[in-house]
Amino acid sequence: MKRILLTGFEPFHEYKINSSWSLVDSFKNTTSDFESIKLLLPVEFKAVSNLVPEILKQYNPDIVLAFGQCTGDSIRIERVALNLDDARTADNSGYTPIDELIHVDGKNAYFSSLPIKAIQHAVVAKNIPAIISNSAGTYVCNHLFYELLYWCDKLSLPTKIGFLHLPRLPEQVTDTQQPSMPLQQMQIVLHEIIKIL
Ligand code: PCA
């Protein structure tokens, strides 16, 4: 049976919740087709670096579907993880790396090992806006995505890794002009992705 690891982040910056964890936390595995594990991750560069190899060894997942929150209006299916930490604001531990490589022995970038175009088509077919994004930024989300792909490469693991940025939830935006997406739509997204994996 396939084992899927779902990760979401804690709240950061001004937010009281993080849409990525709201989605992962709400997930209910109603089939016996696969096993699912949910993990809440800290928005901290160093903690994420320490956790990733441990998580991969402990859970030995076939697939990791990692989620983070962004301020956009669409689901952003990330294609690339960059070997770069460059934070404009401190992480939740107060750390602000500037222009730092994540791993000196790592590649400049790794690509998602999930079928990103098939995921996009499946989500758009449900009338939910989804784009392929060619940059996951240089903050903790990119850091997590990079660490996952780096360790799979380094340990020669067959684990498939994907990262998606989600819009904020309606309750997270104060101004109705700001983009958001209801949790129910995000749940459809997760359902559609799992169906094609
Ligand atoms: N979004 C941030 C970090 C945690 C999250 O949910 C990012 O895009 O890097």
Side-chain angles (χ1 to χ4, degrees):
M1 200 196 309
K2 268 191 190 160
R3 186 178 297 161
I4 306 182
L5 177 64
L6 302 170
T7 76
F9 277 109
E10 287 177 345
F12 66 114
H13 293 163
E14 70 269 34
Y15 301 105
K16 302 264 184 298
I17 57 172
N18 189 314
S19 57
S20 64
W21 179 246
S22 301
L23 173 63
V24 170
D25 191 34
S26 75
F27 178 72
K28 287 183 187 63
N29 186 354
T30 50
T31 71
S32 52
D33 300 347
F34 61 91
E35 187 189 338
S36 56
I37 298 156
K38 307 174 188 181
L39 273 185
L40 172 63
L41 297 174
V43 183
E44 297 179 25
F45 289 96
K46 288 179 180 166
V48 166
S49 288
N50 292 333
L51 282 167
V52 165
E54 296 307 319
I55 289 168
L56 291 173
K57 280 180 213 152
Q58 182 178 345
Y59 298 108
N60 191 25
D62 296 292
I63 297 161
V64 181
L65 259 182
F67 295 92
Q69 174 189 304
C70 70
T71 52
D73 57 2
S74 308
I75 302 289
R76 296 175 68 91
I77 305 155
E78 300 296 345
R79 189 200 305 259
V80 189
L82 274 188
N83 189 4
L84 181 66
D85 286 341
D86 191 35
R88 270 179 293 140
T89 50
D91 69 8
N92 284 357
S93 75
Y95 178 52
T96 314
I98 308 285
D99 294 341
E100 282 181 25
L101 289 178
I102 301 173
H103 283 284
V104 285
D105 66 343
K107 293 184 185 164
N108 285 339
Y110 294 99
F111 289 126
S112 173
S113 44
L114 287 188
I116 55 170
K117 291 281 170 73
I119 290 173
Q120 184 192 21
H121 293 149
V123 174
V124 169
K126 290 283 169 189
N127 288 320
I128 297 172
I131 59 165
I132 302 293
S133 160
N134 294 314
S135 171
T138 52
Y139 200 52
V140 183
C141 285
N142 172 73
H143 188 89
L144 169 65
F145 193 22
Y146 187 89
E147 287 286 13
L148 287 165
L149 288 162
Y150 170 86
W151 282 106
C152 283
D153 189 33
K154 184 120 180 144
L155 302 173
S156 301
L157 301 175
T159 312
K160 301 277 183 246
I161 307 290
F163 192 98
L164 279 85
H165 265 116
L166 305 173
R168 291 168 290 185
L169 292 164
E171 58 267 39
Q172 290 180 276
V173 301
T174 41
D175 177 346
T176 47
Q177 304 288 68
Q178 291 175 320
S180 65
M181 184 178 281
L183 184 64
Q184 292 87 321
Q185 285 198 13
M186 297 184 190
Q187 288 168 329
I188 294 170
V189 170
L190 179 49
H191 199 78
E192 289 303 306
I193 296 172
I194 287 176
K195 257 190 357 200
I196 61 171
L197 293 180

